[in-house]
Amino acid sequence: MGTVGMTVQAATDTRQENPEREKPWLFRTYSGHSSAVESNRLYRTNLARGQTGLSVAFDLPTQTGYDSDHPLARGEVGKVGVPVCHLGDMLTLFEGIPLEKMNTSMTINAPAAWLLSLYVAAAERQGARRDQLSGTTQNDIIKEYLSRGTYIFPPEPSLRLITDVVAFTYREIPRWNPMNVCSYHLQEAGATPQQELAYALATAITVLDRVKASGQVPGSEFGEVVGRISFFVNAGIRFVTEMCKMRAFAEMWDQICLDRYGITDEKMRRFRYGVQVNSLGLTEQQPENNVYRILLEMLAVVLSKNARARAVQLPAWNEALGLPRPWDQQWSLRLQQIVAYETDLLEFGDLFDGSPEVTRKVDALKAEASAELDRIEAMGGAVAAVESSYMKQRLVESNSRRLAAIEQGRQIVVGVNKFAEGEPSPLVGGTGSIQTVDPRAEAEQIARLAAWRDSRDPKAVAAALDALGRAAREGANIMEPSIACAHAGVTGGEWAGLLREIFGEYRAPTGVGRAQQSDHGHTLEAVRRKVDEVSDRLGRRIKMLVGKPGLDGHSNGAEQIAVRARDVGIEVVYEGIRLTPAQIVNAALEEGVHVVGLSILSGSHIPLVTEVLARMRAAGLADVPVVPGGIIPPEDEQRLLEAGCARVYTPKDYDLNGIMEDLVGIVERAEAALG
């Protein structure tokens, strides 16, 4: 063989041994806490360790349009994300990170126009051009009404703000995804795969229809808008079904883009999605098992090439216990890197094309999701299905069925309802096992906010807000005035406060009142009899207030407690999310309740619960038991009991019938103590 022949043969052998690999997805971790300084340090550390994109977690005041010093922000600042009140915070958050080179995802919805404006202003201060920026704003208000609760405005003005962001970005920031249709939280709220498909696609249709009707995008350029819509999905433990769900998503979206919007460019019809795998299924019990769950759930969204995620962010193994540490996030990042770089996954085409089992499952999911989508369309679309409580009610019912299956052992959760006995984990316990937010962080953030306000030109702030108000009232696009507000030093609370005055605020339906009873097992009747017995002795039906104090909008647990309490015969008062401690105590007084249940998942349980307890004592309700529940570490559980709580529930307490029986006993003992 000649030299040329040997060279060709050597090259062929090399290709066979080292076949061409696809570029991996973006590696992200969803993170942010305490302050912009601390979060910037975390981001730079993660990027140095091989993370290839950022996913910013904002705290609840930022997500709901309040500055850090607002009364509703008390106890919430920096807890579930980073507080960003103004341009100074945004500049600090990305200090040393050139935004023109970064792909940034921001989980922000109701104030997405504002946070994107801050991001653009920060990039401009760095010297970057708008068209160099790439990333995503989640900007999905429909799922906020249904599951996560960080909405501000009513549906119509909320959709108008989304439309403005979409129209602005396709012109000014063409590499930006202006909306991330987010079915992730729908699954967390109980959605079946069919519901997740239908409700997410209904949301995308609603937004695209509004953008098309707005006249802000020429018809000839509408395909560019469709091509920038992305999705953010959840992947659960049933990874074969989840993989089939993603293939169904891709096929249904392609058909919708072609049939409904006439998009002929296949590239613009591509289903583009990022994923965070299921946090709902992570267990407090035997938390080390969560590593296996996270891996299997990730495989659901990377195995099938034709439906592979564009970006993956994994929760940490200990998120059911509290805020993960940098080491925990590194562990999740390494898992992604091992799958992408050590395995041969990226060397092959789609592994499931032609599989009859996969085809059958995908077709079944598409048929059921299409039928649900048709029902929503017949109601008038996603907004009508929100306002009528249809979608919320269906999610509450689905979640109720899921929990009942776990309670009764029909759905096995290893370490929880089966194989619960085991060796204590050496990974948990003691100090430092989870990340904690410095109690001083809130006061320091408020001080920085005050200094920022003092440093501004008040005339420039007033002029910028005046221009914003005119745009909002006259129907002009909100983005350029918002960016001008950012540069002038306006705060998020001022931006949202002005729009609250113009657009009003909204309270979404809870879905609890009309949810249908599920099969709760044989123990339900025994609890009902106990409720009847105690109610007879009291002379009236046991009455429970289920309250959500603070800004935490994750209402799934509160809803299931309310539904189950009603099903066992307890009279329930549940008014939804975002109540102040004063409102909760006032409701307890007016309704004459026997027990108050508080649901808090944001880590703000100590300040909020202790304030409720103090206000109840001041209102003469010291004899009414208070029972909080949430992601509460053991040391905080002890503090709450010492403060006067009758009982504390955490994720390990999954038996709802057992909780109901417990609550009846608490009421019975409280009444007996009164003599």
Side-chain angles (χ1 to χ4, degrees):
M1 182 181 293
T3 303
V4 174
M6 288 189 292
T7 302
V8 171
Q9 182 63 47
T12 302
D13 292 343
T14 300
R15 281 197 299 271
Q16 289 173 346
E17 293 173 7
N18 300 293
E20 186 177 347
R21 296 172 63 88
E22 280 200 333
K23 183 180 178 181
W25 52 90
L26 282 171
F27 302 154
R28 285 179 170 146
T29 52
Y30 180 54
S31 54
H33 66 86
S34 301
S35 69
V37 170
E38 289 297 321
S39 298
N40 173 263
R41 183 178 295 116
L42 177 62
Y43 296 163
R44 292 169 73 170
T45 298
N46 286 346
L47 290 169
R49 291 172 179 168
Q51 188 172 300
T52 53
L54 293 177
S55 181
V56 181
F58 295 98
D59 73 356
L60 288 174
T62 303
Q63 293 185 53
T64 50
Y66 293 109
D67 286 333
S68 297
D69 59 354
H70 191 280
L72 277 173
R74 181 176 178 267
E76 305 278 17
V77 176
K79 286 289 174 61
V80 300
V82 56
V84 175
C85 295
H86 48 72
L87 181 56
D89 285 338
M90 189 66 87
L91 287 167
T92 300
L93 185 64
F94 293 109
E95 185 177 354
I97 301 173
L99 295 184
E100 75 276 8
K101 297 179 181 178
M102 185 50 55
N103 189 299
T104 304
S105 171
M106 296 192 287
T107 300
I108 199 76
N109 295 281
W114 173 244
L115 270 294
L116 179 57
S117 295
L118 287 177
Y119 191 84
V120 171
E124 290 175 341
R125 293 291 180 93
Q126 287 187 356
R129 299 193 316 269
R130 293 176 180 181
D131 63 3
Q132 293 177 302
L133 303 180
S134 62
T136 302
T137 34
Q138 193 168 101
N139 209 7
D140 180 352
I141 205 64
I142 299 296
K143 63 92 180 175
E144 294 298 324
Y145 298 140
L146 294 175
S147 57
R148 194 163 168 267
T150 60
Y151 52 80
I152 302 174
F153 312 112
E156 289 304 324
S158 294
L159 286 168
R160 178 260 175 101
L161 291 175
I162 294 171
T163 297
D164 285 355
V165 171
V166 172
F168 171 81
T169 53
Y170 106 93
R171 289 191 307 269
E172 298 288 323
I173 321 177
R175 295 163 58 196
W176 196 268
N177 300 321
M179 186 193 185
N180 204 218
V181 182
C182 181
S183 67
Y184 175 87
H185 296 99
L186 300 181
Q187 187 178 126
E188 298 266 301
T192 64
Q194 297 89 333
Q195 289 170 332
E196 193 178 339
L197 286 162
Y199 296 175
L201 293 172
T203 296
I205 287 169
T206 294
V207 169
L208 286 176
D209 285 356
R210 296 303 173 98
V211 173
K212 195 170 187 179
S214 74
Q216 294 194 59
V217 179
S220 60
E221 299 175 13
F222 193 68
E224 297 295 324
V225 169
V226 175
R228 295 315 305 178
I229 298 297
S230 62
F231 291 75
F232 187 73
V233 304
N234 202 327
I237 194 66
R238 292 171 57 81
F239 77 97
V240 175
T241 297
E242 295 292 329
M243 183 272 294
C244 291
K245 179 189 74 180
M246 299 321 307
R247 290 173 70 97
F249 249 136
E251 292 177 20
M252 292 182 73
W253 180 241
D254 181 80
Q255 203 66 46
I256 288 168
C257 292
L258 181 63
D259 295 347
R260 190 180 186 101
Y261 301 113
I263 308 300
T264 55
D265 185 343
E266 185 180 350
K267 182 180 177 182
M268 296 302 170
R269 303 199 308 263
R270 195 170 296 159
F271 184 74
R272 301 161 58 253
Y273 78 99
V275 63
Q276 166 144 332
V277 306
N278 195 314
S279 294
L280 178 68
L282 303 184
T283 63
E284 179 183 11
Q285 302 94 317
Q286 301 181 18
E288 62 278 4
N289 295 338
N290 293 329
V291 175
Y292 310 129
R293 296 183 176 106
I294 292 167
L295 172 59
L296 290 169
E297 290 164 353
M298 185 183 74
L299 291 178
V301 295
V302 299
L303 280 177
S304 177
K305 180 180 178 181
N306 293 343
R308 182 171 292 151
R310 296 289 188 90
V312 177
Q313 58 190 48
L314 303 181
W317 67 281
N318 57 350
E319 285 195 18
L321 307 178
L323 192 65
R325 301 157 298 186
W327 182 85
D328 306 313
Q329 293 191 348
Q330 175 186 293
W331 198 0
S332 288
L333 175 61
R334 293 293 182 255
L335 191 154
Q336 291 204 57
Q337 291 167 330
I338 289 168
V339 171
Y341 295 123
E342 293 192 25
T343 77
D344 57 356
L345 174 66
L346 297 179
E347 297 169 9
F348 295 93
D350 198 288
L351 306 177
F352 301 99
D353 283 353
S355 164
E357 287 292 331
V358 169
T359 299
R360 274 194 292 271
K361 184 62 177 178
V362 170
D363 288 346
L365 287 170
K366 287 169 61 178
E368 294 166 28
S370 295
E372 183 71 354
L373 189 56
D374 288 344
R375 282 189 284 272
I376 294 169
E377 286 277 287
M379 293 177 190
V383 170
V386 166
E387 293 177 332
S388 69
S389 192
Y390 171 78
M391 288 198 287
K392 181 65 173 178
Q393 177 187 332
R394 290 291 177 263
L395 291 176
V396 172
E397 291 171 348
S398 296
N399 207 16
S400 182
R401 287 192 292 272
R402 181 187 68 84
L403 291 174
I406 293 172
E407 284 180 276
Q408 297 166 34
R410 291 183 284 109
Q411 180 174 327
I412 291 173
V413 182
V414 173
V416 175
N417 63 1
K418 198 172 182 66
F419 313 115
E421 295 300 321
E423 292 296 320
S425 172
L427 297 176
V428 299
T431 58
S433 59
I434 57 171
Q435 179 82 34
T436 56
V437 174
D438 190 327
R440 297 172 298 182
E442 182 167 324
E444 291 170 353
Q445 170 67 11
I446 291 172
R448 285 190 295 269
L449 175 59
W452 175 266
R453 290 197 185 108
D454 289 342
S455 70
R456 304 180 303 183
D457 177 352
K459 291 183 179 179
V461 170
L465 286 170
D466 183 63
L468 174 68
R470 285 198 307 274
R473 292 186 183 94
E474 295 169 4
N477 191 293
I478 211 81
M479 286 303 298
E480 290 291 3
S482 295
I483 294 171
C485 281
H487 280 297
V490 169
T491 69
E494 292 165 342
W495 182 90
L498 177 61
L499 296 188
R500 279 184 168 95
E501 293 176 9
I502 297 169
F503 296 149
E505 292 192 77
Y506 187 67
R507 290 193 70 79
T510 67
V512 168
R514 295 166 59 185
Q516 300 298 308
Q517 177 186 331
S518 298
D519 174 19
H520 301 316
H522 66 278
T523 59
L524 186 70
E525 289 303 323
V527 180
R528 282 177 175 159
R529 287 193 295 272
K530 185 68 174 176
V531 170
D532 290 341
E533 291 170 8
V534 175
S535 296
D536 288 344
R537 288 201 296 274
L538 294 174
R540 64 187 179 99
R541 181 64 44 183
I542 295 176
K543 196 171 191 178
M544 178 183 186
L545 170 67
V546 178
K548 287 284 298 175
L551 298 178
D552 169 34
H554 288 85
S555 57
N556 306 329
E559 290 157 3
Q560 293 307 313
I561 290 291
V563 169
R564 188 63 61 89
R566 185 197 65 186
D567 288 349
V568 299
I570 295 173
E571 187 177 347
V572 176
V573 179
Y574 177 60
E575 298 176 347
I577 62 172
R578 285 206 298 241
L579 301 174
T580 65
Q583 288 172 320
I584 288 172
V585 173
N586 186 60
L589 189 63
E590 290 185 352
E591 296 285 349
V593 300
H594 297 100
V595 61
V596 173
L598 303 175
S599 172
I600 306 168
L601 296 172
S602 66
S604 302
H605 40 269
I606 295 293
L608 291 173
V609 173
T610 53
E611 183 177 348
V612 169
L613 288 167
R615 287 181 176 274
M616 289 188 69
R617 286 192 291 269
L621 298 176
D623 56 318
V624 176
V626 174
V627 181
I631 300 176
I632 301 173
E635 57 272 23
D636 287 357
E637 181 177 350
Q638 187 58 39
R639 286 180 62 186
L640 291 174
L641 292 172
E642 291 170 357
C645 292
R647 180 79 156 79
V648 177
Y649 294 97
T650 68
K652 68 179 181 297
D653 301 300
Y654 69 92
D655 183 352
L656 292 186
N657 285 345
I659 291 174
M660 293 301 117
E661 188 173 18
D662 198 13
L663 291 175
V664 176
I666 288 170
V667 170
E668 191 173 27
R669 289 190 294 275
E671 292 297 318
L674 293 175

